[in-house]
Amino acid sequence: MLPESLQEHPTAASVAAFDADALVTGKFDRAELTLEIAREKVLPVCRFLKDELKFVRLSTIAGVDRYPAEPRFEVVYHLHSLERKERLRVKCRLPGVSPEIDSVTAVWRGAGWYERETFDLFGVRFRNHPDLRRIMMPDDWEGHPLRKDYNITGARI
C-alpha cells in the first residue's frame, strides 16, 4: 500500500500502478526513496524498475538481521537510474525460518556476487541463482557469521 505521502512521487506511483499488491510500504527520507516490496513480487518489480523506469545500475545488495524481531531478515537492493539521476532503495522482509527470495540475476547479472555474499554471511537463499555457494567463508564453514545469534565464542555447534 502506497503511503499518502508518496502518492505524488513519480517512481512510487509508477510501481503502485504496475502492481499495487507488490508495494507493502515506503518512505522518502534524506532525498532518497525507499520502497518495501512483498518478497514474492521482487523479481517482476525489479524487472519493471530496470526496463521501464531505467534503474539500470544495481549498486549493491545487503542483508540485515533484525533478530529477535520477526520478520527477521531484510534484503536491501540499492538501485540507480543514471538517465533520471535518481536513487532507489528496495527492501524485502524475510522470515527467520528458511529465509528465501527469488534471485534478481536474471535482471542484473552483477547481482550474483552480492547474493552469494548475503547467502554466505546471513544464510538467505536466493531461488534460481546460477551459482549459489559461499564467496567469503571457506566451503566447510558452519553457520553464517553476520547473524546476530551466531556463536562468536567457544565451540562451534
Side-chain angles (χ1 to χ4, degrees):
M1 174 116 207
L2 188 62
E4 191 174 318
S5 62
L6 293 180
Q7 305 241 340
E8 299 298 318
H9 194 286
T11 300
S14 295
V15 172
F18 170 71
D19 187 347
D21 295 335
L23 196 54
V24 176
T25 189
K27 68 178 181 176
F28 190 75
D29 187 32
R30 294 180 178 92
E32 188 168 306
L33 178 63
T34 300
L35 298 177
E36 185 178 327
I37 303 296
R39 70 179 172 142
E40 58 276 357
K41 305 275 189 161
V42 70
L43 191 57
V45 169
C46 284
R47 193 174 309 279
F48 171 77
L49 288 169
K50 182 180 180 191
D51 295 345
E52 301 300 321
L53 299 185
K54 307 302 181 201
F55 284 93
V56 296
R57 182 171 173 257
L58 172 70
S59 58
T60 190
I61 298 174
V64 178
D65 185 355
R66 300 226 177 261
Y67 178 82
E70 193 63 43
R72 177 177 175 174
F73 295 103
E74 282 183 359
V75 177
V76 184
Y77 305 84
H78 292 99
L79 310 177
H80 186 196
S81 172
L82 302 169
E83 185 176 305
R84 296 170 55 205
K85 297 182 178 129
E86 183 179 356
R87 294 184 184 274
L88 172 64
R89 180 183 300 117
V90 174
K91 293 183 176 186
C92 294
R93 293 180 184 246
L94 309 175
V97 176
S98 300
E100 241 183 21
I101 192 166
D102 289 329
S103 172
V104 295
T105 55
V107 179
W108 297 284
R109 284 187 307 173
W113 286 48
Y114 298 130
E115 290 178 350
R116 284 179 59 192
E117 181 179 10
T118 304
F119 162 71
D120 193 5
L121 300 177
F122 290 95
V124 173
R125 299 200 65 79
F126 291 88
R127 291 185 295 264
N128 300 316
H129 188 284
D131 186 23
L132 192 61
R133 60 188 165 95
R134 290 200 180 269
I135 192 170
M136 311 241 347
M137 306 305 291
D139 289 337
D140 61 347
W141 191 269
E142 292 183 27
H144 305 282
L146 288 186
R147 285 187 173 200
K148 290 188 177 175
D149 60 352
Y150 183 75
N151 183 12
I152 59 171
T153 61
R156 302 264 190 261
I157 301 173

